[in-house]
Amino acid sequence: MKKINQIKKIFSVLFMMFTTIIFAQSTISGKVADQSGSGLPGVNVVISGTNQGASTDFDGNYSISNVENGTYNVIASYVGFTESTKSITIQGSNATVNFQLAQDASSLDEVVITGVLNPKSRIESSVSISSIGVEQIAQSAPRTSGEIFRNIPGVRAETSGGDGNGNYNVRGVPVSSGGTRYLQLQEDGLPIMLFGDTSFGNPDNYLRIDSNVSRIEAIRGGSASTLASNAPAGIINVISKTGAVEGGSIASSFGLDYQSSRLDFEYGTPLANGLSYHIGGFIRNGEGPRAIGYQGNKGGQFKANLTKRFEKGYVRVYTKFLNDRSAMYMPMPMLLEGDDANPTYANLPGFDITTDTPHSSNLQQSAGTSAFDGQPVSNDVRNGNNPITKSLGAEFSFDLGNEWSFVGKARYSNNSGKWIAPFTANVGAVADVAATASGASGATGALVYSDGDREAFNPANGLAQILHVFDVTIDDMSNFFGDVKISKKIGDNVNVTAGMFTATQNTKTSWQWSSFLSEVKGDGNARMVDFDGYSRNGQYAYGTPVWGNCCQRKYNTVHSVNSPYVGVDIDITEKINFDGSVRFENVNVNGIIASGPTSQGNYDYNGDGVIQGIEQNVPIVSGADGQNIDQDYNFTSFSAGLNYKINNGSAVFARYSKGASGRASDRNGYDQFGKSSTNFDQVTQLELGFKKRFENASVYVTAFSSNTDEDAGSALNLTVGNEFKATGLELEGSYNINDFSVVGSVTYTDAEIIEDRASGTGANKGKTPQRQADFVYNLSPRYVFGNDKQHVLGLAILGTSKSFAFDSNDLIQPGFAYVNLLGSVGLTEGLSLSLNINNLFDTVGITEVNGIDGAAINGSDRYVRARSITGRSSSLALRYKF
């Protein structure tokens, strides 16, 4: 009996062990997404040390069943992304493990979506394309959106003017009219503006980079000619997060050596039934990195999107609200020491070119007349660059079966705002500057300070400056963009795509520029100067008489675009891929333009019944005046590329493209019938490239040649336009080993003016285009350390070789390199403290010279008006990621 009881006990124990084993089977499931929150299909998810695993479905979901109790490492891996490992303990219940994979900077398998017919990896595409992730964005320590673009190979970004209004040169394709005439800036695959160089309506004015951004993709040349309008030089596409994986962050930052505070926030999460959303934005306030004397940077942005995923596709709607103000830094007074071939750009007494600006707390109002009704208008100079955007968009993508797919995007943006900033139009000794102002305007009277006791003007440094206030009201820059394409895969090797892009771009702006007299002094407190009895609070003219009152103008036009395009992608063999595309651009522009004052004379501006001195020569554009515009034009663009995949780690490609960019309303001339002889400028490009992946590195080399056939046109009150050619070599690379990584690029460009149309004399033929450097480069090393790799130390080194200030090639802009520093310390899980230092060594870097004033002083020195990059500025940020 005793033995029987013992046997029963043994069987009981064995039964309990058996049932425990049987019933302690659990499931590990979750979602794998990229940094934008979009689900990644085909990701391998395995339990380390076992043969258990799964692949993610179309939406990035996975499930691993029959997992016994225990502690495991779960690994998610996917080509083009950094492998991720998470530890999980199973104790009789199911577990959820989500992954968010970061793009691998050293991978040529990264899938790209910008400027290609169909998404494909870098090694399989015959285009030069780069991707900047959130980590590299943070490491570049940017103060503006444009400063991020300096990290893109082949791009020379002139962003010394503040948050917006930058000039971008790509592989020698010129920036003759400023802005981005040949380069398109996009948000989520659609243009921000139809034209990249509309005066005071540049697309980067309406772009703010914040924590909503997942990554930035940039294509140079290639199929950009045919897959976007007005983009033959390339496309920069800012891609937003979508919330497919739950998570968010909140960050508070403030300036250590300048007055600024900013709060960034974002959050996204999946919901039931395939829904997910993401929201985020920023608010800020502060003077900014230069002393302007008031709160010049203030406002914010809010963005949100909602995605519904289906078995074979998705629909997404999104919105954006932007109302932000930022100071614009125009050319300012400097001392030009030495000769033109080896100059030094130096400070003037009491004025630092890296921290000061012509802005002042004493210059707050600018008065003029509206170009639409001729009535008095007064604008607040403190508005600076004040873009206001309210936009609503949608996109969808569906697999229709039988190898058909359908993709569409559309967005309406209501854009308006102000653009106002002081520009140093003349600088020099007090007597010389006063004579220039008086001779052009007829102003008379002794010079006195316009505030305080109105004592006689006698500055310590003996200098004065004429300030032209660029005062522009942006009544309507609204636009609508739609892009729909359908693709069919024929057999296993051929994919045909046909699409239609439509656009409507309004351009309604009023220019009412004005003239002031000021002392040359920094720290944001320069005092205004009056011709006693003539000027008002430093303003001595309601126009710009020194420039012939050029800039009382109105533009009220609408561009309508219909652009069908078709492309084919063929896998000729397993290693050889061909893609070609053609685009037919059809454009109509109509409206009215008054590109200068229609009358000048007496105008009782203050309505007191007396015509005073300042009211004797007022430029007016009356409401009824203007030239009617009605123009239709069209052009055809094409691109063809061949990619040969040598093996899984290397490839070569070649591409030939011809595209064009249309002209914005204010960049063109029209005859009495409202027609223009030139409506677009063409760019022809040849590219040869090599891509190679090593064990811990990758390299991307592209040789390029381009010809830009640009007819004479206008840039503000200047004539521009030449035929250019450029050849060069672009090198991009990355290296990763353990906790250290580095990415960088260098571009060599040999550019030449082959037909001089702008000067009218042909004297500049054979010379180098203005502001075109032989070399531009960047290098970003990064080191992570700590038990959980929670600490980061990174640098961003950005530089350019010397360039010429003007097409005449008589004055050098010296080469320079500056260093940005990022140091981040992980305090606890999810919480980090970061130090950002922009321009660590306080480097002077000249990006633009506007003019030289007066005769030489002290032998060879002269006064010059130019822009330098902003000096050293430091900020501290506390960020919590959840």
Side-chain angles (χ1 to χ4, degrees):
M1 192 70 179
K2 186 176 181 181
K3 289 184 177 180
I4 293 174
N5 289 335
Q6 289 177 337
I7 292 172
K8 286 182 178 180
K9 288 181 180 179
I10 292 172
F11 272 104
S12 296
V13 172
L14 291 174
F15 178 77
M16 291 176 63
M17 292 175 61
F18 177 77
T19 55
T20 299
I21 293 173
I22 292 296
F23 291 104
Q25 303 288 318
S26 302
T27 297
I28 299 176
S29 61
K31 176 172 283 189
V32 183
D34 61 16
Q35 290 176 302
S36 70
S38 297
L40 291 172
V43 179
N44 291 320
V45 183
V46 298
I47 301 175
S48 180
T50 75
N51 60 0
Q52 292 178 283
S55 294
T56 58
D57 63 15
F58 181 83
D59 294 318
N61 298 310
Y62 76 93
S63 179
I64 305 173
S65 304
N66 300 322
V67 181
E68 299 179 2
N69 287 343
T71 298
Y72 304 97
N73 286 326
V74 184
I75 303 171
S77 61
Y78 190 52
V79 292
F81 290 80
T82 301
E83 184 177 277
S84 180
T85 301
K86 290 190 175 183
S87 180
I88 183 71
T89 298
I90 300 298
Q91 293 181 338
S93 60
N94 296 333
T96 299
V97 181
N98 293 324
F99 293 91
Q100 192 164 20
L101 302 186
Q103 292 176 348
D104 184 354
S106 67
S107 176
L108 294 176
D109 294 316
E110 175 189 355
V111 175
V112 295
I113 62 174
T114 300
V116 294
L117 286 170
N118 297 287
K120 60 175 60 179
S121 67
R122 293 178 68 186
I123 202 167
E124 294 175 328
S125 61
S126 53
V127 295
S128 297
I129 190 163
S130 302
S131 181
I132 302 174
V134 291
E135 292 180 349
Q136 192 176 355
I137 291 173
Q139 186 170 332
S140 64
R143 289 165 302 196
T144 68
S145 302
E147 288 186 349
I148 299 170
F149 302 153
R150 291 176 179 171
N151 294 278
I152 300 171
V155 174
R156 183 175 188 268
E158 298 176 358
T159 59
S160 55
D163 210 343
N165 223 55
N167 301 320
Y168 302 91
N169 170 293
V170 184
R171 290 180 174 176
V173 178
V175 290
S176 56
S177 64
T180 63
R181 173 177 288 189
Y182 302 101
L183 173 72
Q184 185 179 103
L185 300 187
Q186 296 182 347
E187 275 191 295
D188 296 315
L190 288 174
I192 299 172
M193 290 289 172
L194 181 63
F195 300 103
D197 62 342
T198 301
S199 297
F200 314 108
N202 290 10
D204 61 345
N205 289 355
Y206 292 85
L207 174 67
R208 297 292 185 268
I209 302 295
D210 59 18
S211 54
N212 288 292
V213 174
S214 164
R215 68 185 188 279
I216 298 171
E217 289 186 353
I219 178 174
R220 286 87 64 200
S223 53
S225 294
T226 55
L227 298 183
S229 290
N230 306 320
I235 301 168
I236 298 176
N237 184 19
V238 179
I239 301 171
S240 302
K241 299 175 182 177
T242 60
V245 173
E246 183 178 13
S249 65
I250 185 168
S252 178
S253 60
F254 58 91
L256 295 177
D257 47 14
Y258 66 102
Q259 202 278 312
S260 177
S261 61
R262 173 168 166 152
L263 179 68
D264 284 80
F265 63 96
E266 54 99 7
Y267 178 72
T269 188
L271 303 170
N273 301 317
L275 287 170
S276 64
Y277 73 90
H278 190 274
I279 60 172
F282 75 90
I283 52 176
R284 67 169 175 173
N285 189 64
E287 184 177 17
R290 288 182 180 266
I292 61 175
Y294 52 86
Q295 302 293 297
N297 296 348
K298 56 183 178 181
Q301 174 175 263
F302 176 78
K303 296 175 71 175
N305 60 63
L306 177 67
T307 303
K308 168 64 176 177
R309 295 189 178 274
F310 303 91
E311 182 179 353
K312 293 188 176 182
Y314 71 88
V315 174
R316 178 175 299 127
V317 293
Y318 57 90
T319 188
K320 166 182 166 179
F321 176 72
L322 169 68
N323 189 343
D324 190 41
R325 293 171 174 82
S326 59
M328 289 284 96
Y329 311 128
M330 306 293 282
M332 57 194 69
M334 302 182 185
L335 184 64
L336 184 65
E337 298 177 334
D339 58 29
D340 289 350
N342 188 29
T344 298
Y345 294 80
N347 296 330
L348 293 169
F351 191 91
D352 189 314
I353 62 177
T354 63
T355 59
D356 288 325
T357 167
H359 295 80
S360 171
S361 59
N362 297 303
L363 176 57
Q364 296 191 9
Q365 294 290 327
S366 174
T369 58
S370 169
F372 282 96
D373 58 21
Q375 296 301 306
V377 60
S378 178
N379 281 325
D380 192 337
V381 179
R382 294 172 297 179
N383 281 325
N385 176 20
N386 178 206
I388 301 173
T389 294
K390 305 167 188 174
S391 69
L392 181 65
E395 64 178 82
F396 61 85
S397 176
F398 283 99
D399 180 353
L400 304 179
N402 296 319
E403 305 296 346
W404 287 91
S405 62
F406 191 33
V407 178
K409 301 173 185 286
R411 183 180 65 233
Y412 171 73
S413 297
N414 187 320
N415 302 314
S416 60
K418 303 283 187 182
W419 204 104
I420 184 166
F423 177 102
T424 300
N426 184 264
V427 62
V430 171
D432 294 336
V433 173
T436 298
S438 177
S441 66
T444 59
L447 295 183
V448 298
Y449 286 106
S450 61
D451 62 348
D453 295 329
R454 296 182 65 82
E455 69 271 24
F457 178 49
N458 186 26
N461 59 12
L463 299 175
Q465 60 182 328
I466 294 173
L467 298 179
H468 287 171
V469 175
F470 289 14
D471 184 354
V472 179
T473 299
I474 303 169
D475 291 293
D476 187 5
M477 290 286 288
S478 300
N479 52 47
F480 171 83
F481 300 117
D483 196 350
V484 177
K485 62 183 179 182
I486 188 166
S487 298
K488 167 67 175 176
K489 189 172 183 180
I490 303 172
D492 294 329
N493 304 323
V494 179
N495 195 301
V496 179
T497 300
M500 171 66 79
F501 173 79
T502 59
T504 301
Q505 176 69 63
N506 296 339
T507 305
K508 184 179 180 182
T509 60
S510 171
W511 297 19
Q512 51 271 337
W513 296 15
S514 57
S515 299
F516 287 75
L517 200 63
S518 165
E519 64 179 349
V520 177
K521 186 178 181 181
D523 293 327
N525 58 14
R527 298 173 69 183
M528 300 296 106
V529 181
D530 281 341
F531 290 94
D532 199 16
Y534 188 96
S535 305
R536 294 173 177 170
N537 296 318
Q539 183 172 347
Y540 72 86
Y542 289 114
T544 52
V546 169
W547 288 355
N549 282 328
C550 65
C551 299
Q552 264 56 36
R553 303 182 182 181
K554 70 175 176 183
Y555 299 93
N556 191 2
T557 62
V558 179
H559 283 79
S560 301
V561 178
N562 289 289
S563 299
Y565 58 93
V566 62
V568 61
D569 190 299
I570 306 173
D571 291 325
I572 299 174
T573 69
E574 289 185 359
K575 293 187 174 183
I576 301 176
N577 173 268
F578 168 83
D579 74 271
S581 49
V582 61
R583 186 183 188 94
F584 307 95
E585 204 87 3
N586 302 285
V587 185
N588 170 263
V589 53
N590 65 77
I592 190 169
I593 292 175
S595 57
T598 54
S599 65
Q600 292 179 214
N602 293 345
Y603 184 92
D604 186 9
Y605 191 90
N606 62 1
D608 65 356
V610 178
I611 299 298
Q612 299 173 349
I614 194 176
E615 298 174 334
Q616 291 177 1
N617 190 27
V618 179
I620 299 293
V621 177
S622 68
D625 287 327
Q627 181 181 18
N628 289 323
I629 307 300
D630 188 7
Q631 176 84 66
D632 292 292
Y633 66 90
N634 58 77
F635 56 85
T636 301
S637 303
F638 65 86
S639 181
L642 199 66
N643 190 82
Y644 176 66
K645 190 174 180 181
I646 301 170
N647 51 49
N648 288 333
S650 60
V652 294
F653 74 90
R655 178 172 290 276
Y656 182 77
S657 307
K658 186 173 184 179
S661 183
R663 294 188 167 192
S665 301
D666 63 320
R667 301 299 190 183
N668 217 354
Y670 296 90
D671 62 21
Q672 66 270 30
F673 305 107
K675 308 297 183 182
S676 176
S677 59
T678 302
N679 293 288
F680 57 88
D681 302 293
Q682 293 185 311
V683 179
T684 304
Q685 299 172 88
L686 174 65
E687 303 166 74
L688 301 172
F690 172 70
K691 296 163 279 189
K692 175 67 175 176
R693 175 178 57 209
F694 302 93
E695 182 178 357
N696 296 311
S698 68
V699 65
Y700 208 138
V701 183
T702 306
F704 59 86
S705 176
S706 67
N707 182 283
T708 304
D709 190 2
E710 183 178 282
D711 206 351
S714 62
L716 299 181
N717 61 329
L718 303 175
T719 299
V720 298
N722 294 303
E723 186 175 355
F724 308 87
K725 72 175 181 180
T727 57
L729 190 69
E730 180 182 281
L731 172 65
E732 178 184 5
S734 63
Y735 178 73
N736 294 285
I737 183 168
N738 299 325
D739 299 327
F740 176 79
S741 65
V742 59
V743 297
S745 70
V746 59
T747 303
Y748 167 73
T749 306
D750 180 17
E752 179 184 346
I753 299 171
I754 60 176
E755 185 174 348
D756 176 14
R757 296 164 177 162
S759 71
T761 65
N764 296 327
K765 182 177 180 179
K767 297 184 177 180
T768 302
Q770 63 178 359
R771 310 206 296 268
Q772 173 62 61
D774 288 346
F775 291 94
V776 292
Y777 54 91
N778 64 78
L779 188 69
S780 298
R782 177 185 179 91
Y783 178 66
V784 296
F785 57 100
N787 293 333
D788 298 316
K789 312 302 181 188
Q790 72 273 33
H791 310 314
V792 180
L793 182 63
L795 296 174
I797 304 165
L798 302 108
T800 176
S801 63
K802 70 179 182 180
S803 61
F804 292 105
F806 310 109
D807 285 343
S808 56
N809 289 185
D810 51 2
L811 177 62
I812 292 290
Q813 294 181 166
F816 63 91
Y818 67 98
V819 178
N820 297 338
L821 170 70
L822 167 69
S824 180
V825 177
L827 302 177
T828 64
E829 183 177 357
L831 183 66
S832 62
L833 182 67
S834 300
L835 172 67
N836 288 271
I837 305 179
N838 193 291
N839 196 356
L840 178 64
F841 300 109
D842 210 22
T843 299
V844 172
I846 302 301
T847 63
E848 176 185 351
V849 178
N850 182 260
I852 300 173
D853 291 329
I857 57 175
N858 301 326
S860 62
D861 298 346
R862 290 152 291 170
Y863 299 118
V864 67
R865 291 166 281 123
R867 278 199 292 204
S868 170
I869 62 173
T870 301
R872 179 173 51 246
S873 60
S874 308
S875 63
L876 202 64
L878 189 65
R879 183 172 185 259
Y880 179 60
K881 186 176 180 180
F882 52 90

